[in-house]
PDB file of all heavy atoms in Angstrom:
ATOM      1  N   LEU A   1     123.124 122.522 102.531  1.00 98.00           N
ATOM      2  CA  LEU A   1     122.782 121.133 102.823  1.00 98.00           C
ATOM      3  C   LEU A   1     121.281 120.953 103.026  1.00 98.00           C
ATOM      4  O   LEU A   1     120.733 119.894 102.719  1.00 98.00           O
ATOM      5  CB  LEU A   1     123.561 120.645 104.045  1.00 98.00           C
ATOM      6  CG  LEU A   1     123.623 119.127 104.237  1.00 98.00           C
ATOM      7  CD1 LEU A   1     124.186 118.436 103.007  1.00 98.00           C
ATOM      8  CD2 LEU A   1     124.456 118.780 105.464  1.00 98.00           C
ATOM      9  N   VAL A   2     120.610 121.974 103.521  1.00 98.00           N
ATOM     10  CA  VAL A   2     119.151 121.913 103.655  1.00 98.00           C
ATOM     11  C   VAL A   2     118.514 121.791 102.268  1.00 98.00           C
ATOM     12  O   VAL A   2     117.602 120.978 102.050  1.00 98.00           O
ATOM     13  CB  VAL A   2     118.605 123.154 104.389  1.00 98.00           C
ATOM     14  CG1 VAL A   2     117.081 123.168 104.383  1.00 98.00           C
ATOM     15  CG2 VAL A   2     119.115 123.184 105.831  1.00 98.00           C
ATOM     16  N   CYS A   3     119.003 122.569 101.315  1.00 98.00           N
ATOM     17  CA  CYS A   3     118.473 122.486  99.944  1.00 98.00           C
ATOM     18  C   CYS A   3     118.766 121.124  99.325  1.00 98.00           C
ATOM     19  O   CYS A   3     117.916 120.537  98.649  1.00 98.00           O
ATOM     20  CB  CYS A   3     119.064 123.596  99.084  1.00 98.00           C
ATOM     21  SG  CYS A   3     118.491 125.253  99.527  1.00 98.00           S
ATOM     22  N   LYS A   4     119.961 120.611  99.552  1.00 98.00           N
ATOM     23  CA  LYS A   4     120.328 119.296  99.016  1.00 98.00           C
ATOM     24  C   LYS A   4     119.443 118.201  99.588  1.00 98.00           C
ATOM     25  O   LYS A   4     119.084 117.239  98.886  1.00 98.00           O
ATOM     26  CB  LYS A   4     121.801 119.008  99.326  1.00 98.00           C
ATOM     27  CG  LYS A   4     122.269 117.611  98.945  1.00 98.00           C
ATOM     28  CD  LYS A   4     122.175 117.365  97.453  1.00 98.00           C
ATOM     29  CE  LYS A   4     122.660 115.954  97.116  1.00 98.00           C
ATOM     30  NZ  LYS A   4     122.541 115.658  95.662  1.00 98.00           N
ATOM     31  N   ALA A   5     119.051 118.330 100.852  1.00 98.00           N
ATOM     32  CA  ALA A   5     118.226 117.316 101.508  1.00 98.00           C
ATOM     33  C   ALA A   5     116.876 117.142 100.836  1.00 98.00           C
ATOM     34  O   ALA A   5     116.242 116.096 100.980  1.00 98.00           O
ATOM     35  CB  ALA A   5     118.043 117.663 102.986  1.00 98.00           C
ATOM     36  N   VAL A   6     116.427 118.165 100.091  1.00 98.00           N
ATOM     37  CA  VAL A   6     115.115 118.081  99.440  1.00 98.00           C
ATOM     38  C   VAL A   6     115.220 118.071  97.919  1.00 98.00           C
ATOM     39  O   VAL A   6     114.211 117.953  97.236  1.00 98.00           O
ATOM     40  CB  VAL A   6     114.184 119.238  99.888  1.00 98.00           C
ATOM     41  CG1 VAL A   6     114.047 119.256 101.395  1.00 98.00           C
ATOM     42  CG2 VAL A   6     114.696 120.593  99.399  1.00 98.00           C
ATOM     43  N   ARG A   7     116.439 118.182  97.414  1.00 97.00           N
ATOM     44  CA  ARG A   7     116.629 118.176  95.956  1.00 97.00           C
ATOM     45  C   ARG A   7     117.808 117.280  95.605  1.00 97.00           C
ATOM     46  O   ARG A   7     118.966 117.697  95.609  1.00 97.00           O
ATOM     47  CB  ARG A   7     116.848 119.603  95.448  1.00 97.00           C
ATOM     48  CG  ARG A   7     116.982 119.648  93.948  1.00 97.00           C
ATOM     49  CD  ARG A   7     116.966 121.039  93.384  1.00 97.00           C
ATOM     50  NE  ARG A   7     117.542 121.006  92.055  1.00 97.00           N
ATOM     51  CZ  ARG A   7     117.675 122.064  91.273  1.00 97.00           C
ATOM     52  NH1 ARG A   7     117.255 123.254  91.682  1.00 97.00           N
ATOM     53  NH2 ARG A   7     118.227 121.958  90.078  1.00 97.00           N
ATOM     54  N   ASP A   8     117.494 116.045  95.295  1.00 95.00           N
ATOM     55  CA  ASP A   8     118.506 115.018  95.095  1.00 95.00           C
ATOM     56  C   ASP A   8     119.436 115.324  93.930  1.00 95.00           C
ATOM     57  O   ASP A   8     120.609 114.948  93.941  1.00 95.00           O
ATOM     58  CB  ASP A   8     117.827 113.661  94.887  1.00 95.00           C
ATOM     59  CG  ASP A   8     118.816 112.527  94.827  1.00 95.00           C
ATOM     60  OD1 ASP A   8     119.560 112.334  95.816  1.00 95.00           O
ATOM     61  OD2 ASP A   8     118.881 111.841  93.791  1.00 95.00           O
ATOM     62  N   ASP A   9     118.936 116.012  92.883  1.00 96.00           N
ATOM     63  CA  ASP A   9     119.756 116.262  91.701  1.00 96.00           C
ATOM     64  C   ASP A   9     120.749 117.412  91.879  1.00 96.00           C
ATOM     65  O   ASP A   9     121.601 117.628  91.029  1.00 96.00           O
ATOM     66  CB  ASP A   9     118.866 116.558  90.489  1.00 96.00           C
ATOM     67  CG  ASP A   9     118.175 117.911  90.616  1.00 96.00           C
ATOM     68  OD1 ASP A   9     117.467 118.110  91.623  1.00 96.00           O
ATOM     69  OD2 ASP A   9     118.350 118.765  89.728  1.00 96.00           O
ATOM     70  N   LEU A  10     120.648 118.127  92.967  1.00 97.00           N
ATOM     71  CA  LEU A  10     121.540 119.264  93.203  1.00 97.00           C
ATOM     72  C   LEU A  10     122.951 118.775  93.521  1.00 97.00           C
ATOM     73  O   LEU A  10     123.156 117.946  94.415  1.00 97.00           O
ATOM     74  CB  LEU A  10     121.014 120.104  94.374  1.00 97.00           C
ATOM     75  CG  LEU A  10     121.877 121.292  94.816  1.00 97.00           C
ATOM     76  CD1 LEU A  10     121.946 122.344  93.716  1.00 97.00           C
ATOM     77  CD2 LEU A  10     121.320 121.909  96.102  1.00 97.00           C
ATOM     78  N   LYS A  11     123.924 119.285  92.776  1.00 98.00           N
ATOM     79  CA  LYS A  11     125.323 119.015  93.099  1.00 98.00           C
ATOM     80  C   LYS A  11     125.783 120.093  94.071  1.00 98.00           C
ATOM     81  O   LYS A  11     125.501 121.279  93.865  1.00 98.00           O
ATOM     82  CB  LYS A  11     126.173 119.036  91.823  1.00 98.00           C
ATOM     83  CG  LYS A  11     127.589 118.520  92.026  1.00 98.00           C
ATOM     84  CD  LYS A  11     128.316 118.387  90.691  1.00 98.00           C
ATOM     85  CE  LYS A  11     129.714 117.820  90.893  1.00 98.00           C
ATOM     86  NZ  LYS A  11     130.421 117.675  89.599  1.00 98.00           N
ATOM     87  N   LEU A  12     126.481 119.688  95.121  1.00 98.00           N
ATOM     88  CA  LEU A  12     126.766 120.621  96.216  1.00 98.00           C
ATOM     89  C   LEU A  12     128.208 120.528  96.684  1.00 98.00           C
ATOM     90  O   LEU A  12     128.742 119.435  96.878  1.00 98.00           O
ATOM     91  CB  LEU A  12     125.821 120.317  97.395  1.00 98.00           C
ATOM     92  CG  LEU A  12     125.965 121.154  98.659  1.00 98.00           C
ATOM     93  CD1 LEU A  12     125.626 122.625  98.390  1.00 98.00           C
ATOM     94  CD2 LEU A  12     125.066 120.601  99.758  1.00 98.00           C
ATOM     95  N   THR A  13     128.832 121.687  96.851  1.00 98.00           N
ATOM     96  CA  THR A  13     130.151 121.775  97.477  1.00 98.00           C
ATOM     97  C   THR A  13     130.034 122.675  98.698  1.00 98.00           C
ATOM     98  O   THR A  13     129.618 123.829  98.579  1.00 98.00           O
ATOM     99  CB  THR A  13     131.200 122.342  96.504  1.00 98.00           C
ATOM    100  OG1 THR A  13     131.329 121.467  95.374  1.00 98.00           O
ATOM    101  CG2 THR A  13     132.551 122.474  97.193  1.00 98.00           C
ATOM    102  N   LEU A  14     130.373 122.131  99.853  1.00 98.00           N
ATOM    103  CA  LEU A  14     130.318 122.862 101.117  1.00 98.00           C
ATOM    104  C   LEU A  14     131.731 123.211 101.559  1.00 98.00           C
ATOM    105  O   LEU A  14     132.610 122.345 101.580  1.00 98.00           O
ATOM    106  CB  LEU A  14     129.651 122.014 102.206  1.00 98.00           C
ATOM    107  CG  LEU A  14     128.224 121.521 101.925  1.00 98.00           C
ATOM    108  CD1 LEU A  14     127.800 120.510 102.987  1.00 98.00           C
ATOM    109  CD2 LEU A  14     127.258 122.692 101.875  1.00 98.00           C
ATOM    110  N   VAL A  15     131.960 124.466 101.905  1.00 97.00           N
ATOM    111  CA  VAL A  15     133.265 124.908 102.407  1.00 97.00           C
ATOM    112  C   VAL A  15     133.104 125.308 103.863  1.00 97.00           C
ATOM    113  O   VAL A  15     132.300 126.197 104.187  1.00 97.00           O
ATOM    114  CB  VAL A  15     133.808 126.092 101.578  1.00 97.00           C
ATOM    115  CG1 VAL A  15     135.112 126.603 102.175  1.00 97.00           C
ATOM    116  CG2 VAL A  15     134.013 125.678 100.133  1.00 97.00           C
ATOM    117  N   GLU A  16     133.836 124.649 104.738  1.00 97.00           N
ATOM    118  CA  GLU A  16     133.734 124.915 106.172  1.00 97.00           C
ATOM    119  C   GLU A  16     135.086 124.643 106.835  1.00 97.00           C
ATOM    120  O   GLU A  16     135.564 123.508 106.848  1.00 97.00           O
ATOM    121  CB  GLU A  16     132.654 124.023 106.802  1.00 97.00           C
ATOM    122  CG  GLU A  16     132.545 124.117 108.311  1.00 97.00           C
ATOM    123  CD  GLU A  16     132.467 125.547 108.815  1.00 97.00           C
ATOM    124  OE1 GLU A  16     131.604 126.305 108.328  1.00 97.00           O
ATOM    125  OE2 GLU A  16     133.281 125.916 109.681  1.00 97.00           O
ATOM    126  N   PRO A  17     135.732 125.689 107.373  1.00 96.00           N
ATOM    127  CA  PRO A  17     137.074 125.514 107.935  1.00 96.00           C
ATOM    128  C   PRO A  17     137.128 124.867 109.323  1.00 96.00           C
ATOM    129  O   PRO A  17     138.188 124.407 109.739  1.00 96.00           O
ATOM    130  CB  PRO A  17     137.612 126.953 107.991  1.00 96.00           C
ATOM    131  CG  PRO A  17     136.392 127.800 108.123  1.00 96.00           C
ATOM    132  CD  PRO A  17     135.319 127.103 107.333  1.00 96.00           C
ATOM    133  N   ARG A  18     136.004 124.809 110.032  1.00 96.00           N
ATOM    134  CA  ARG A  18     136.019 124.278 111.399  1.00 96.00           C
ATOM    135  C   ARG A  18     135.706 122.789 111.403  1.00 96.00           C
ATOM    136  O   ARG A  18     134.637 122.359 110.994  1.00 96.00           O
ATOM    137  CB  ARG A  18     135.013 125.047 112.261  1.00 96.00           C
ATOM    138  CG  ARG A  18     135.473 126.487 112.544  1.00 96.00           C
ATOM    139  CD  ARG A  18     134.326 127.411 112.851  1.00 96.00           C
ATOM    140  NE  ARG A  18     133.478 127.636 111.681  1.00 96.00           N
ATOM    141  CZ  ARG A  18     132.550 128.579 111.600  1.00 96.00           C
ATOM    142  NH1 ARG A  18     132.353 129.381 112.616  1.00 96.00           N
ATOM    143  NH2 ARG A  18     131.820 128.711 110.506  1.00 96.00           N
ATOM    144  N   GLN A  19     136.665 121.991 111.899  1.00 97.00           N
ATOM    145  CA  GLN A  19     136.591 120.544 111.799  1.00 97.00           C
ATOM    146  C   GLN A  19     135.375 119.957 112.509  1.00 97.00           C
ATOM    147  O   GLN A  19     134.757 118.997 112.025  1.00 97.00           O
ATOM    148  CB  GLN A  19     137.872 119.915 112.364  1.00 97.00           C
ATOM    149  CG  GLN A  19     137.901 118.393 112.266  1.00 97.00           C
ATOM    150  CD  GLN A  19     137.755 117.890 110.842  1.00 97.00           C
ATOM    151  OE1 GLN A  19     138.454 118.343 109.936  1.00 97.00           O
ATOM    152  NE2 GLN A  19     136.834 116.952 110.618  1.00 97.00           N
ATOM    153  N   LYS A  20     135.000 120.502 113.661  1.00 96.00           N
ATOM    154  CA  LYS A  20     133.850 119.948 114.393  1.00 96.00           C
ATOM    155  C   LYS A  20     132.569 120.088 113.580  1.00 96.00           C
ATOM    156  O   LYS A  20     131.711 119.200 113.584  1.00 96.00           O
ATOM    157  CB  LYS A  20     133.707 120.640 115.751  1.00 96.00           C
ATOM    158  CG  LYS A  20     134.813 120.278 116.728  1.00 96.00           C
ATOM    159  CD  LYS A  20     134.618 120.947 118.074  1.00 96.00           C
ATOM    160  CE  LYS A  20     135.707 120.541 119.050  1.00 96.00           C
ATOM    161  NZ  LYS A  20     135.547 121.201 120.375  1.00 96.00           N
ATOM    162  N   LYS A  21     132.428 121.201 112.881  1.00 97.00           N
ATOM    163  CA  LYS A  21     131.245 121.376 112.044  1.00 97.00           C
ATOM    164  C   LYS A  21     131.306 120.487 110.802  1.00 97.00           C
ATOM    165  O   LYS A  21     130.276 119.989 110.336  1.00 97.00           O
ATOM    166  CB  LYS A  21     131.076 122.849 111.672  1.00 97.00           C
ATOM    167  CG  LYS A  21     130.746 123.702 112.892  1.00 97.00           C
ATOM    168  CD  LYS A  21     130.401 125.134 112.549  1.00 97.00           C
ATOM    169  CE  LYS A  21     129.991 125.889 113.818  1.00 97.00           C
ATOM    170  NZ  LYS A  21     129.594 127.283 113.551  1.00 97.00           N
ATOM    171  N   VAL A  22     132.500 120.266 110.294  1.00 98.00           N
ATOM    172  CA  VAL A  22     132.670 119.342 109.180  1.00 98.00           C
ATOM    173  C   VAL A  22     132.211 117.941 109.586  1.00 98.00           C
ATOM    174  O   VAL A  22     131.558 117.229 108.808  1.00 98.00           O
ATOM    175  CB  VAL A  22     134.144 119.324 108.712  1.00 98.00           C
ATOM    176  CG1 VAL A  22     134.412 118.142 107.784  1.00 98.00           C
ATOM    177  CG2 VAL A  22     134.486 120.637 108.003  1.00 98.00           C
ATOM    178  N   SER A  23     132.530 117.538 110.803  1.00 98.00           N
ATOM    179  CA  SER A  23     132.101 116.222 111.293  1.00 98.00           C
ATOM    180  C   SER A  23     130.588 116.122 111.323  1.00 98.00           C
ATOM    181  O   SER A  23     130.011 115.087 110.949  1.00 98.00           O
ATOM    182  CB  SER A  23     132.666 115.969 112.701  1.00 98.00           C
ATOM    183  OG  SER A  23     134.070 115.927 112.674  1.00 98.00           O
ATOM    184  N   PHE A  24     129.925 117.194 111.740  1.00 98.00           N
ATOM    185  CA  PHE A  24     128.463 117.203 111.751  1.00 98.00           C
ATOM    186  C   PHE A  24     127.910 117.114 110.325  1.00 98.00           C
ATOM    187  O   PHE A  24     126.971 116.351 110.056  1.00 98.00           O
ATOM    188  CB  PHE A  24     127.934 118.457 112.440  1.00 98.00           C
ATOM    189  CG  PHE A  24     126.446 118.618 112.340  1.00 98.00           C
ATOM    190  CD1 PHE A  24     125.599 117.834 113.094  1.00 98.00           C
ATOM    191  CD2 PHE A  24     125.882 119.544 111.456  1.00 98.00           C
ATOM    192  CE1 PHE A  24     124.204 117.957 112.988  1.00 98.00           C
ATOM    193  CE2 PHE A  24     124.506 119.686 111.344  1.00 98.00           C
ATOM    194  CZ  PHE A  24     123.670 118.886 112.114  1.00 98.00           C
ATOM    195  N   LEU A  25     128.476 117.880 109.420  1.00 98.00           N
ATOM    196  CA  LEU A  25     128.022 117.858 108.032  1.00 98.00           C
ATOM    197  C   LEU A  25     128.124 116.455 107.437  1.00 98.00           C
ATOM    198  O   LEU A  25     127.185 115.966 106.793  1.00 98.00           O
ATOM    199  CB  LEU A  25     128.855 118.830 107.187  1.00 98.00           C
ATOM    200  CG  LEU A  25     128.722 120.321 107.516  1.00 98.00           C
ATOM    201  CD1 LEU A  25     129.770 121.124 106.742  1.00 98.00           C
ATOM    202  CD2 LEU A  25     127.323 120.833 107.201  1.00 98.00           C
ATOM    203  N   ARG A  26     129.238 115.798 107.672  1.00 98.00           N
ATOM    204  CA  ARG A  26     129.426 114.455 107.130  1.00 98.00           C
ATOM    205  C   ARG A  26     128.457 113.456 107.770  1.00 98.00           C
ATOM    206  O   ARG A  26     128.005 112.515 107.116  1.00 98.00           O
ATOM    207  CB  ARG A  26     130.882 114.030 107.313  1.00 98.00           C
ATOM    208  CG  ARG A  26     131.805 114.813 106.370  1.00 98.00           C
ATOM    209  CD  ARG A  26     133.258 114.494 106.557  1.00 98.00           C
ATOM    210  NE  ARG A  26     134.060 115.171 105.517  1.00 98.00           N
ATOM    211  CZ  ARG A  26     135.332 115.496 105.650  1.00 98.00           C
ATOM    212  NH1 ARG A  26     135.981 115.213 106.785  1.00 98.00           N
ATOM    213  NH2 ARG A  26     135.976 116.111 104.665  1.00 98.00           N
ATOM    214  N   HIS A  27     128.136 113.689 109.028  1.00 98.00           N
ATOM    215  CA  HIS A  27     127.144 112.847 109.707  1.00 98.00           C
ATOM    216  C   HIS A  27     125.775 112.987 109.044  1.00 98.00           C
ATOM    217  O   HIS A  27     125.099 111.986 108.774  1.00 98.00           O
ATOM    218  CB  HIS A  27     127.072 113.241 111.188  1.00 98.00           C
ATOM    219  CG  HIS A  27     125.961 112.598 111.938  1.00 98.00           C
ATOM    220  ND1 HIS A  27     125.943 111.251 112.239  1.00 98.00           N
ATOM    221  CD2 HIS A  27     124.798 113.110 112.458  1.00 98.00           C
ATOM    222  CE1 HIS A  27     124.835 110.950 112.897  1.00 98.00           C
ATOM    223  NE2 HIS A  27     124.128 112.058 113.047  1.00 98.00           N
ATOM    224  N   ILE A  28     125.356 114.223 108.778  1.00 98.00           N
ATOM    225  CA  ILE A  28     124.054 114.452 108.141  1.00 98.00           C
ATOM    226  C   ILE A  28     124.037 113.854 106.731  1.00 98.00           C
ATOM    227  O   ILE A  28     123.058 113.213 106.321  1.00 98.00           O
ATOM    228  CB  ILE A  28     123.729 115.958 108.083  1.00 98.00           C
ATOM    229  CG1 ILE A  28     123.548 116.525 109.501  1.00 98.00           C
ATOM    230  CG2 ILE A  28     122.474 116.207 107.245  1.00 98.00           C
ATOM    231  CD1 ILE A  28     122.381 115.930 110.260  1.00 98.00           C
ATOM    232  N   ILE A  29     125.097 114.038 105.985  1.00 98.00           N
ATOM    233  CA  ILE A  29     125.185 113.476 104.635  1.00 98.00           C
ATOM    234  C   ILE A  29     125.039 111.956 104.683  1.00 98.00           C
ATOM    235  O   ILE A  29     124.342 111.355 103.847  1.00 98.00           O
ATOM    236  CB  ILE A  29     126.523 113.879 103.975  1.00 98.00           C
ATOM    237  CG1 ILE A  29     126.534 115.384 103.693  1.00 98.00           C
ATOM    238  CG2 ILE A  29     126.767 113.092 102.686  1.00 98.00           C
ATOM    239  CD1 ILE A  29     127.909 115.943 103.376  1.00 98.00           C
ATOM    240  N   ARG A  30     125.660 111.349 105.685  1.00 98.00           N
ATOM    241  CA  ARG A  30     125.614 109.890 105.809  1.00 98.00           C
ATOM    242  C   ARG A  30     124.219 109.396 106.200  1.00 98.00           C
ATOM    243  O   ARG A  30     123.685 108.486 105.560  1.00 98.00           O
ATOM    244  CB  ARG A  30     126.639 109.431 106.849  1.00 98.00           C
ATOM    245  CG  ARG A  30     126.742 107.920 107.006  1.00 98.00           C
ATOM    246  CD  ARG A  30     127.908 107.525 107.877  1.00 98.00           C
ATOM    247  NE  ARG A  30     127.811 108.083 109.223  1.00 98.00           N
ATOM    248  CZ  ARG A  30     128.548 109.088 109.670  1.00 98.00           C
ATOM    249  NH1 ARG A  30     129.439 109.668 108.882  1.00 98.00           N
ATOM    250  NH2 ARG A  30     128.414 109.529 110.917  1.00 98.00           N
ATOM    251  N   ILE A  31     123.607 109.999 107.206  1.00 98.00           N
ATOM    252  CA  ILE A  31     122.318 109.466 107.672  1.00 98.00           C
ATOM    253  C   ILE A  31     121.179 109.775 106.702  1.00 98.00           C
ATOM    254  O   ILE A  31     120.188 109.040 106.657  1.00 98.00           O
ATOM    255  CB  ILE A  31     121.962 109.970 109.096  1.00 98.00           C
ATOM    256  CG1 ILE A  31     121.707 111.473 109.103  1.00 98.00           C
ATOM    257  CG2 ILE A  31     123.015 109.578 110.100  1.00 98.00           C
ATOM    258  CD1 ILE A  31     121.087 111.952 110.389  1.00 98.00           C
ATOM    259  N   LEU A  32     121.319 110.838 105.901  1.00 98.00           N
ATOM    260  CA  LEU A  32     120.301 111.147 104.899  1.00 98.00           C
ATOM    261  C   LEU A  32     120.596 110.469 103.569  1.00 98.00           C
ATOM    262  O   LEU A  32     119.813 110.603 102.621  1.00 98.00           O
ATOM    263  CB  LEU A  32     120.175 112.664 104.701  1.00 98.00           C
ATOM    264  CG  LEU A  32     119.693 113.478 105.902  1.00 98.00           C
ATOM    265  CD1 LEU A  32     119.481 114.941 105.505  1.00 98.00           C
ATOM    266  CD2 LEU A  32     118.418 112.906 106.508  1.00 98.00           C
ATOM    267  N   GLU A  33     121.747 109.777 103.507  1.00 98.00           N
ATOM    268  CA  GLU A  33     122.156 109.043 102.300  1.00 98.00           C
ATOM    269  C   GLU A  33     122.197 109.953 101.071  1.00 98.00           C
ATOM    270  O   GLU A  33     121.661 109.641 100.002  1.00 98.00           O
ATOM    271  CB  GLU A  33     121.224 107.843 102.056  1.00 98.00           C
ATOM    272  CG  GLU A  33     121.237 106.854 103.210  1.00 98.00           C
ATOM    273  CD  GLU A  33     120.317 105.660 102.978  1.00 98.00           C
ATOM    274  OE1 GLU A  33     119.662 105.606 101.910  1.00 98.00           O
ATOM    275  OE2 GLU A  33     120.250 104.782 103.846  1.00 98.00           O
ATOM    276  N   LEU A  34     122.877 111.087 101.236  1.00 98.00           N
ATOM    277  CA  LEU A  34     122.976 112.069 100.161  1.00 98.00           C
ATOM    278  C   LEU A  34     124.184 111.777  99.272  1.00 98.00           C
ATOM    279  O   LEU A  34     125.226 111.309  99.743  1.00 98.00           O
ATOM    280  CB  LEU A  34     123.083 113.474 100.747  1.00 98.00           C
ATOM    281  CG  LEU A  34     121.932 113.913 101.656  1.00 98.00           C
ATOM    282  CD1 LEU A  34     122.203 115.296 102.227  1.00 98.00           C
ATOM    283  CD2 LEU A  34     120.599 113.893 100.911  1.00 98.00           C
ATOM    284  N   HIS A  35     124.041 112.073  97.994  1.00 97.00           N
ATOM    285  CA  HIS A  35     125.111 111.854  97.023  1.00 97.00           C
ATOM    286  C   HIS A  35     125.455 113.177  96.328  1.00 97.00           C
ATOM    287  O   HIS A  35     124.700 114.140  96.393  1.00 97.00           O
ATOM    288  CB  HIS A  35     124.683 110.811  95.994  1.00 97.00           C
ATOM    289  CG  HIS A  35     124.259 109.509  96.600  1.00 97.00           C
ATOM    290  ND1 HIS A  35     125.151 108.571  97.081  1.00 97.00           N
ATOM    291  CD2 HIS A  35     123.014 109.000  96.836  1.00 97.00           C
ATOM    292  CE1 HIS A  35     124.489 107.543  97.566  1.00 97.00           C
ATOM    293  NE2 HIS A  35     123.190 107.767  97.443  1.00 97.00           N
ATOM    294  N   ASP A  36     126.599 113.206  95.653  1.00 97.00           N
ATOM    295  CA  ASP A  36     127.067 114.410  94.952  1.00 97.00           C
ATOM    296  C   ASP A  36     127.215 115.595  95.896  1.00 97.00           C
ATOM    297  O   ASP A  36     126.854 116.730  95.565  1.00 97.00           O
ATOM    298  CB  ASP A  36     126.122 114.779  93.798  1.00 97.00           C
ATOM    299  CG  ASP A  36     126.295 113.878  92.592  1.00 97.00           C
ATOM    300  OD1 ASP A  36     127.421 113.374  92.397  1.00 97.00           O
ATOM    301  OD2 ASP A  36     125.321 113.666  91.855  1.00 97.00           O
ATOM    302  N   VAL A  37     127.743 115.317  97.091  1.00 98.00           N
ATOM    303  CA  VAL A  37     128.048 116.380  98.057  1.00 98.00           C
ATOM    304  C   VAL A  37     129.527 116.288  98.417  1.00 98.00           C
ATOM    305  O   VAL A  37     130.012 115.225  98.804  1.00 98.00           O
ATOM    306  CB  VAL A  37     127.222 116.260  99.355  1.00 98.00           C
ATOM    307  CG1 VAL A  37     127.522 117.446 100.278  1.00 98.00           C
ATOM    308  CG2 VAL A  37     125.737 116.182  99.052  1.00 98.00           C
ATOM    309  N   LYS A  38     130.243 117.385  98.258  1.00 98.00           N
ATOM    310  CA  LYS A  38     131.653 117.449  98.643  1.00 98.00           C
ATOM    311  C   LYS A  38     131.792 118.428  99.801  1.00 98.00           C
ATOM    312  O   LYS A  38     131.286 119.548  99.744  1.00 98.00           O
ATOM    313  CB  LYS A  38     132.500 117.911  97.451  1.00 98.00           C
ATOM    314  CG  LYS A  38     133.996 117.968  97.731  1.00 98.00           C
ATOM    315  CD  LYS A  38     134.766 118.511  96.534  1.00 98.00           C
ATOM    316  CE  LYS A  38     134.737 117.548  95.369  1.00 98.00           C
ATOM    317  NZ  LYS A  38     135.616 118.019  94.259  1.00 98.00           N
ATOM    318  N   VAL A  39     132.488 117.995 100.854  1.00 98.00           N
ATOM    319  CA  VAL A  39     132.748 118.861 102.009  1.00 98.00           C
ATOM    320  C   VAL A  39     134.244 119.165 102.032  1.00 98.00           C
ATOM    321  O   VAL A  39     135.070 118.250 102.140  1.00 98.00           O
ATOM    322  CB  VAL A  39     132.328 118.194 103.336  1.00 98.00           C
ATOM    323  CG1 VAL A  39     132.573 119.146 104.506  1.00 98.00           C
ATOM    324  CG2 VAL A  39     130.860 117.774 103.294  1.00 98.00           C
ATOM    325  N   LEU A  40     134.583 120.441 101.920  1.00 98.00           N
ATOM    326  CA  LEU A  40     135.983 120.858 101.936  1.00 98.00           C
ATOM    327  C   LEU A  40     136.301 121.548 103.247  1.00 98.00           C
ATOM    328  O   LEU A  40     135.717 122.579 103.581  1.00 98.00           O
ATOM    329  CB  LEU A  40     136.261 121.798 100.762  1.00 98.00           C
ATOM    330  CG  LEU A  40     136.067 121.213  99.363  1.00 98.00           C
ATOM    331  CD1 LEU A  40     136.358 122.273  98.301  1.00 98.00           C
ATOM    332  CD2 LEU A  40     136.935 119.983  99.145  1.00 98.00           C
ATOM    333  N   ASN A  41     137.225 120.969 103.993  1.00 97.00           N
ATOM    334  CA  ASN A  41     137.644 121.532 105.277  1.00 97.00           C
ATOM    335  C   ASN A  41     138.775 122.539 105.017  1.00 97.00           C
ATOM    336  O   ASN A  41     139.951 122.264 105.247  1.00 97.00           O
ATOM    337  CB  ASN A  41     138.106 120.390 106.184  1.00 97.00           C
ATOM    338  CG  ASN A  41     138.485 120.843 107.570  1.00 97.00           C
ATOM    339  OD1 ASN A  41     139.203 120.156 108.279  1.00 97.00           O
ATOM    340  ND2 ASN A  41     138.007 121.999 108.004  1.00 97.00           N
TER     341      ASN A  41
END
């Protein structure tokens, strides 16, 4: 997600089994207005 934050064209799939961390990831994606990011819980 750090790389995606500085490279808009990067397509990204994040795999994270812990729901609390997934919530944080989705928060960062939302406030940074990132696109082409999939978070798989």
Side-chain angles (χ1 to χ4, degrees):
L1 197 56
V2 173
C3 291
K4 174 63 180 178
V6 304
R7 183 170 161 180
D8 186 59
D9 70 303
L10 176 65
K11 190 172 182 179
L12 179 64
T13 298
L14 302 171
V15 176
E16 175 50 53
R18 290 156 292 193
Q19 182 58 50
K20 290 182 178 179
K21 293 187 176 182
V22 167
S23 297
F24 173 74
L25 295 171
R26 289 177 174 155
H27 171 70
I28 294 297
I29 292 165
R30 183 171 60 254
I31 66 168
L32 296 186
E33 300 180 0
L34 302 177
H35 304 283
D36 284 331
V37 184
K38 182 183 292 186
V39 182
L40 298 179
N41 183 200

